[in-house]
Amino acid sequence: KQREEGVVEELAGLLGALDDETADNTEEKHQEVKYVTRDKLSAGKRVMTICDTKGPGKIVLTEDLTNLESATPANKSLQPKSFKDDAENTEEMPKPTIHRGLIKLMLRNLHQCTVVVKCKIITGTLEISHCKDVTIIVEGDDATVVTVQADLCTGLDIQFHDSPSGKNV
């Protein structure tokens, strides 16, 4: 659990708290737009949870999040083969693999808002739970969502606009 918490960034109340009674009349409330960039994430946080917020408004996960970078170390148990008198084999260890983007996106307890995903999600996984009247728009060249798990949601609308994950729909 401690390891999992080390990589999860939770952004709560971006558009307003759920229990905010002044926001009951959605026609009077201004349509806010909140941009989520790398600046909003702590170092090493690659799994994002957006939760406990009430619109109306729009939350945009910018292309900037695609530039998040992490390295998977090479398997140290693998040793390059070397042969006696082999002049071409330098026996260099493989370099770490660089991964770019968010690992996973989770949306929990959002109400009356739109979430626009413009960034790469490495696993392609979007988890949605306890949301009401939410529109999710996946758009852009880097936006990849291939698996959606939606639990206990009402009024959920998922749209793919010019994204790699929407090419086969």
Side-chain angles (χ1 to χ4, degrees):
K1 183 176 177 171
Q2 186 179 19
R3 181 178 170 198
E4 182 180 323
E5 290 174 355
V7 297
V8 177
E9 182 74 35
E10 187 171 294
L11 302 174
L14 285 175
L15 297 174
L18 284 176
D19 57 0
D20 187 4
E21 295 300 323
T22 61
D24 280 343
N25 190 348
T26 56
E27 291 179 18
E28 290 181 15
K29 189 173 178 186
H30 177 62
Q31 291 275 346
E32 262 188 286
V33 178
K34 294 285 184 173
Y35 294 94
V36 179
T37 63
R38 288 184 293 172
D39 297 338
K40 291 205 184 268
L41 300 180
S42 303
K45 306 284 184 161
R46 302 288 305 283
V47 177
M48 183 180 297
T49 300
I50 299 175
C51 62
D52 304 328
T53 192
K54 183 175 183 180
K58 185 183 283 190
I59 299 169
V60 180
L61 280 67
T62 64
E63 297 94 342
D64 178 57
L65 294 170
T66 300
N67 296 325
L68 286 171
E69 198 172 274
S70 65
T72 304
N75 187 347
K76 294 187 189 250
S77 66
L78 297 177
Q79 294 294 324
K81 290 185 180 181
S82 64
F83 302 98
K84 187 177 178 182
D85 300 325
D86 187 1
E88 294 180 24
N89 192 345
T90 60
E91 294 189 46
E92 291 181 16
M93 287 300 297
K95 292 182 173 38
T97 304
I98 303 297
H99 304 282
R100 289 185 169 79
L102 290 175
I103 293 173
K104 182 163 75 170
L105 176 61
M106 296 179 282
L107 306 176
R108 185 180 72 235
N109 207 16
L110 304 181
H111 296 240
Q112 303 168 341
C113 62
T114 299
V115 178
V116 180
V117 179
K118 293 185 174 190
C119 62
K120 179 178 181 180
I121 301 174
I122 295 169
T123 61
T125 303
L126 173 61
E127 292 184 12
I128 311 161
S129 68
H130 300 87
C131 293
K132 182 178 180 184
D133 301 325
V134 172
T135 299
I136 299 166
I137 301 171
V138 181
E139 67 181 15
D141 293 336
D142 291 330
T144 51
V145 174
V146 292
T147 303
V148 176
Q149 178 178 336
D151 297 316
L152 304 170
C153 298
T154 58
L156 182 63
D157 180 23
I158 302 173
Q159 304 172 15
F160 293 93
H161 299 195
D162 296 328
S163 66
S165 49
K167 297 296 184 203
N168 296 324
V169 177

